[in-house]
C-alpha cells in the first residue's frame, strides 16, 4: 500500500491530489502523520480528496490507527489513516 507522509508544513491541496491519484491507481492509501499540526493537514487533505473523487463515484472512508515509526533512530508514535473508497 502506498504511504503518504504528511507534516505540519504540507500543503493539504497537494496531499489531496497525491491521495486522489493513489486511490485511482491502487484503490487505497495510507497517510502517516506525527503531531497535531500534521494530523490537521492530513485530515484536511482527506476532506479535499473526497471532493476531488466524488464526481468519479468514489466515496472515501478514513480509518485511523496508531503506528510506531522510526525517525532519526528514534521510535515515535504516529497516526496513520487508511483511506479507501466505500463499497
Amino acid at each position: 500500500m502506498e504511504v503518504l507522509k504528511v507534516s505540519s508544513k504540507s500543503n493539504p491541496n497537494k496531499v489531496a491530489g497525491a491521495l486522489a491519484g493513489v486511490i485511482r491507481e491502487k484503490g487505497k492509501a495510507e497517510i502517516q502523520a506525527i503531531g497535531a499540526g500534521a494530523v490537521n493537514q492530513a485530515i484536511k487533505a482527506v476532506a479535499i480528496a473526497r471532493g476531488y473523487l466524488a464526481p468519479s463515484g468514489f466515496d472515501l472512508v478514513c480509518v485511523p490507527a496508531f503506528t510506531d515509526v522510526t525517525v532519526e533512530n528514534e521510535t515515535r508514535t504516529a497516526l496513520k489513516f487508511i483511506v479507501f473508497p466505500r463499497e
Side-chain angles (χ1 to χ4, degrees):
M1 185 170 12
E2 187 82 23
V3 177
L4 303 174
K5 296 185 179 183
V6 177
S7 80
S8 60
K9 295 182 172 115
S10 296
N11 180 333
N13 289 304
K14 289 183 180 180
V15 175
L19 178 60
V22 171
I23 297 292
R24 283 190 181 108
E25 283 183 22
K26 302 197 175 169
K28 63 181 177 177
E30 178 180 320
I31 298 176
Q32 287 184 354
I34 300 173
V39 169
N40 181 49
Q41 298 302 76
I43 291 299
K44 282 197 257 183
V46 172
I48 294 166
R50 285 192 78 209
Y52 290 165
L53 292 169
S56 304
F58 291 99
D59 182 21
L60 293 186
V61 176
C62 177
V63 179
F66 289 106
T67 188
D68 289 328
V69 295
T70 303
V71 179
E72 297 176 5
N73 294 325
E74 279 187 39
T75 301
R76 310 259 325 253
T77 300
L79 272 171
K80 70 177 179 180
F81 302 96
I82 308 299
V83 184
F84 54 93
R86 187 186 311 269
E87 293 183 7

